[in-house]
Amino acid sequence: MADESKAPQSPESSQPATPGATPASPAAAALPSPAAKPAAAPPPPVQVPLENELTRRYRERFGRAILDAIEDRKQAILIVDIAQFLEIARYSRDTEKFDLLEDYTAVDWPRREKRFDLVAQLYSFPNNVRLRLKTAIGADQTADSLTSVWPVANWLEREIFDLFGIAFQGHPGLKRILLPDEWQGHPLRKDYDILQQDTAWVRENLGIESGQ
Amino acid sequence: MADTVRDNDLHPTDTLLGADELVLNMGPQHPSTHGVLRVKLKLDGERVIGSECVIGYLHRGVEKIAESRSYQQFAPYVDRMDYVAAVSNGLGYCEAVEKLLMAEAPPRAQVIRTILAELQRIASHLLWLGTHALDIGALTPLFYCMREREEILKIFEKYCGARLTTHAFRIGGLQYDAYDTLEKDVERFCKDFERRIQEYSDLLTGNSIWIGRTRGIGLLNAEDCIALGASGPILRASGVKWDLRKAMPYAAYSQYNFEIPVGTRGDTYDRYLVRLEEMRQSRLICLQAIENIPAGPIMARVGKVLKPPPGEVYHSIEAPKGILGYYILSDGGTQPYRVRIRPPSFINLQALDKMVRGHLVGDVVAIIGTLDIVLGEVDR
């Protein structure tokens, strides 16, 4: 439902619907209208297209690889093509001065064709601005490792590999980091139940029937 | 070649051990690893030539739990990450969800949050100082630090009933208003604390053993800090004058004057000086804040059932240990679609390998201490 490609459109489509609905409800209850007013006013769209100098430079440089630029709650998000993710990352660091990879994680959208989103939070010390890079990646795809751009990505990518099962090409030592090396399954995937565990591993290594 | 041993786990690039080399396991049951951290050290004699951290012993799947709890239900869980600075964790989480809801806590709540968060920073730094000094062999500071930390925990207890996992804040503001004598208690603590910091400083700053054990140990320059994502006092000790409280002010920090202490060399001694000065600055923030706590409501109108509009938000704060970030995605339901926590300890710990290379085994203890990690947060 909250698919990335749909999200920017949904506020647009809801906008014409709400003015049509609002006259009906205050008319039915005229007395509490001051209280009802803030609720009845059409909510401002939370995600809007983003058009500024920064996105213009990215679009100029990478053209069609910049799939979308949106602003969500005043935070800038660039949705980019996985094929050029590494180049865009390097450009972000070298030219746009995003020298800190503050965080790097993934999100699982199991019903989507490209199942995962990789999400990188960038911060620029010289400019004091943030930018979020997002890219969709299929379950059978591997991403280019960002460790050559930001060494901090090393453990962050290992964590993504561990908990989501996304592999990174060019990573210096890709293996699990939080779970045991032999563990089966990737817990942060949506199809991994909250009570699920690698029962065989637990039985073999802890000598108990269940870790629950 | 008969005396070489393969250790595939250590470093893929240098798995062969020479005749003088050995691999030493430190932890997970080792008092100076501050919890359940296991470090595999590759040694040449007593000199460290490589290391690998083995973590995850405290992994509880906090991010997974978040996906099956409501926004309010998840709040107490974040206290259990960095359990020596629970107030800071809660502050970051509550502010992130407020951003997601596009709500803001009232001014009174903001100021009380700031006071408690700064007290928590002092408490966290005190625990760090006491245990760090103990690791290096100075026993006395531990007792002094615990004594003052106790005063802060008493204030927390009076405020919300809990000392460690406080769950002090709520999404939208506070559940409890400041108790009658909060300002007095904080003032009394702060007045007394100036002298106390001087005591710690007298014990350590000019102490030749302390200087010998910390000067030039665990060097990390500004460039490496940024490349490795190390934040908080570690970054500042390397000379980067940067603090999220100034760069992107949150809570009520923009109202107060304080300095960002920086180091010059980026060694363990500088990190000690930076944290000591940070405690002084936190004390000044507390004193400014209690002078004028605005009257008014303590809770914004966010509703009992939280259903943030679909979308996402990333919010980070300057926790005692560094940048603590929350990336929260909402699909419009009552439970978060995804909560990602950017833990400062986890990312700072990654710098350990760079810092220990070339040092002696005894210095590894000092370097783990100076990173100020909490394993509950590393493993989540």
Side-chain angles (χ1 to χ4, degrees):
Chain A
M1 178 204 128
D3 194 310
E4 278 313 313
S5 53
K6 278 184 195 166
Q9 289 155 15
S10 59
E12 301 258 336
S13 56
S14 71
Q15 248 178 345
T18 32
T22 38
S25 49
L31 203 67
S33 63
K37 233 176 199 168
V46 289
Q47 290 188 332
V48 291
L50 177 67
E51 202 56 62
N52 61 14
E53 272 298 296
L54 186 71
T55 58
R56 198 184 51 77
R57 285 200 298 272
Y58 271 95
R59 280 189 201 276
E60 226 162 61
R61 179 81 164 68
F62 293 102
R64 297 169 68 95
I66 307 295
L67 302 176
D68 205 354
I70 52 174
E71 195 179 55
D72 185 344
R73 292 151 175 97
K74 304 208 166 52
Q75 300 184 343
I77 307 169
L78 275 188
I79 298 166
V80 304
D81 190 353
I82 182 76
Q84 294 219 46
F85 194 47
L86 184 62
E87 283 108 278
I88 291 170
R90 186 160 284 132
Y91 168 81
S92 303
R93 185 198 63 181
D94 294 338
T95 311
E96 297 296 342
K97 304 288 174 223
F98 286 103
D99 37 11
L100 176 69
L101 175 66
E102 195 169 320
D103 194 20
Y104 190 28
T105 189
V107 182
D108 184 12
W109 303 95
R111 279 195 296 268
R112 219 171 56 177
E113 190 197 344
K114 284 191 166 183
R115 181 170 174 174
F116 300 105
D117 267 339
L118 288 172
V119 187
Q121 319 280 356
L122 312 186
Y123 175 76
S124 163
F125 280 102
N127 302 328
N128 193 27
V129 286
R130 285 218 175 93
L131 177 69
R132 189 175 310 144
L133 290 183
K134 292 177 77 164
T135 180
I137 176 172
D140 49 353
Q141 275 182 296
T142 52
D144 286 321
S145 170
L146 299 185
T147 44
S148 60
V149 184
W150 295 288
V152 61
N154 188 330
W155 281 22
L156 293 168
E157 284 175 355
R158 277 177 67 189
E159 191 180 340
I160 297 172
F161 170 72
D162 189 355
L163 303 179
F164 286 93
I166 303 171
F168 293 90
Q169 216 164 19
H171 189 286
L174 194 64
K175 58 174 179 167
R176 287 183 184 270
I177 186 163
L178 293 174
L179 296 175
D181 287 344
E182 313 82 25
W183 193 270
Q184 298 296 315
H186 303 284
L188 279 181
R189 289 188 176 192
K190 287 284 175 185
D191 50 14
Y192 196 98
D193 187 77
I194 181 117
L195 292 178
Q196 192 180 331
Q197 60 175 352
D198 184 353
T199 322
W201 189 93
V202 170
R203 201 179 296 137
E204 188 179 321
N205 291 279
L206 304 180
I208 52 175
E209 269 311 300
S210 163
Q212 300 294 341
Chain B
M1 288 302 280
D3 46 64
T4 56
V5 184
R6 281 202 82 87
D7 181 4
N8 289 318
D9 288 343
L10 196 71
H11 266 276
T13 46
D14 46 21
T15 48
L16 289 178
L17 288 177
D20 300 332
E21 297 170 2
L22 81 147
V23 172
L24 183 77
N25 262 301
M26 197 168 152
Q29 277 86 23
H30 189 288
S32 75
T33 57
H34 292 253
V36 278
L37 168 69
R38 175 176 166 215
V39 188
K40 283 196 229 169
L41 294 170
K42 189 176 173 187
L43 304 176
D44 178 6
E46 213 185 324
R47 201 158 289 281
V48 179
I49 52 175
S51 76
E52 189 199 355
C53 289
V54 182
I55 57 173
Y57 294 94
L58 275 183
H59 183 59
R60 292 148 291 172
V62 171
E63 292 173 13
K64 184 76 180 176
I65 293 170
E67 291 170 14
S68 58
R69 297 286 183 279
S70 74
Y71 288 90
Q72 293 102 328
Q73 279 176 331
F74 182 61
Y77 284 90
V78 300
D79 286 2
R80 280 132 184 100
M81 297 189 311
D82 181 357
Y83 38 72
V84 303
V87 172
S88 308
N89 296 341
L91 176 66
Y93 177 70
C94 290
E95 287 200 332
V97 179
E98 283 158 16
K99 270 197 173 179
L100 195 64
L101 289 161
M102 291 172 289
E104 204 174 334
R108 183 175 173 81
Q110 302 271 22
V111 171
I112 295 173
R113 280 177 173 186
T114 309
I115 295 172
L116 294 180
E118 284 312 301
L119 287 174
Q120 182 73 86
R121 186 184 313 277
I122 296 175
S124 170
H125 281 3
L126 281 174
L127 187 73
W128 161 80
L129 179 61
T131 52
H132 182 43
L134 182 69
D135 287 344
I136 293 180
L139 188 62
T140 320
L142 180 71
F143 300 111
Y144 285 18
C145 291
M146 285 296 184
R147 181 184 63 195
E148 271 74 73
R149 179 170 174 265
E150 183 63 26
E151 295 305 313
I152 294 173
L153 298 187
K154 273 183 191 158
I155 293 174
F156 290 162
E157 191 175 6
K158 271 179 156 174
Y159 172 71
C160 63
R163 289 155 54 85
L164 289 173
T165 46
T166 48
H167 192 202
F169 308 139
R170 297 295 185 275
I171 295 157
L174 308 167
Q175 179 166 16
Y176 313 108
D177 206 339
Y179 63 89
D180 291 342
T181 56
L182 177 76
E183 288 105 314
K184 264 207 194 88
D185 286 355
V186 174
E187 192 183 1
R188 196 171 48 225
F189 171 78
C190 289
K191 287 269 151 70
D192 183 54
F193 191 53
E194 189 176 19
R195 184 167 61 90
R196 303 299 188 187
I197 301 181
Q198 196 52 46
E199 273 180 10
Y200 317 143
S201 183
D202 289 344
L203 279 171
L204 296 172
T205 307
N207 184 321
S208 61
I209 303 173
W210 181 256
I211 294 172
R213 287 299 308 274
T214 55
R215 221 357 147 197
I217 302 296
L219 288 168
L220 204 60
N221 63 30
E223 219 166 83
D224 289 337
C225 265
I226 293 170
L228 288 166
S231 53
I234 300 169
L235 179 67
R236 290 187 279 275
S238 302
V240 181
K241 202 177 173 82
W242 185 85
D243 189 313
L244 258 176
R245 292 174 291 173
K246 290 267 194 200
M248 295 182 168
Y250 54 94
Y253 285 108
S254 54
Q255 303 170 25
Y256 308 120
N257 294 321
F258 60 97
E259 293 293 318
I260 306 173
V262 285
T264 48
R265 305 193 203 186
D267 60 5
T268 301
Y269 188 72
D270 272 6
R271 285 186 281 271
Y272 153 75
L273 290 179
V274 163
R275 288 198 178 95
L276 211 59
E277 185 57 31
E278 271 184 23
M279 287 198 274
R280 293 199 180 96
Q281 296 299 328
S282 294
R283 173 187 162 272
L284 291 177
I285 296 172
C286 287
L287 282 173
Q288 290 172 59
I290 54 169
E291 259 174 37
N292 181 19
I293 302 180
I298 54 165
M299 194 72 185
R301 300 182 69 164
V302 291
K304 287 227 156 47
V305 178
L306 299 183
K307 276 187 163 182
E312 55 185 71
V313 80
Y314 178 78
H315 178 64
S316 61
I317 65 160
E318 187 73 38
K321 282 147 189 96
I323 302 170
L324 171 66
Y326 290 90
Y327 172 59
I328 307 179
L329 259 107
S330 164
D331 60 356
T334 55
Q335 298 171 340
Y337 187 79
R338 165 110 171 90
V339 176
R340 156 71 187 170
I341 299 150
R342 188 256 190 225
S345 293
F346 176 78
I347 291 171
N348 290 350
L349 182 60
Q350 196 177 174
L352 181 77
D353 182 55
K354 177 137 199 124
M355 290 162 84
V356 296
R357 280 174 189 245
H359 288 297
L360 303 179
V361 177
D363 296 330
V364 175
V365 172
I367 295 168
I368 293 173
T370 194
L371 280 172
D372 191 16
I373 49 162
V374 163
L375 269 297
E377 187 180 61
V378 173
D379 297 341
R380 282 156 292 138

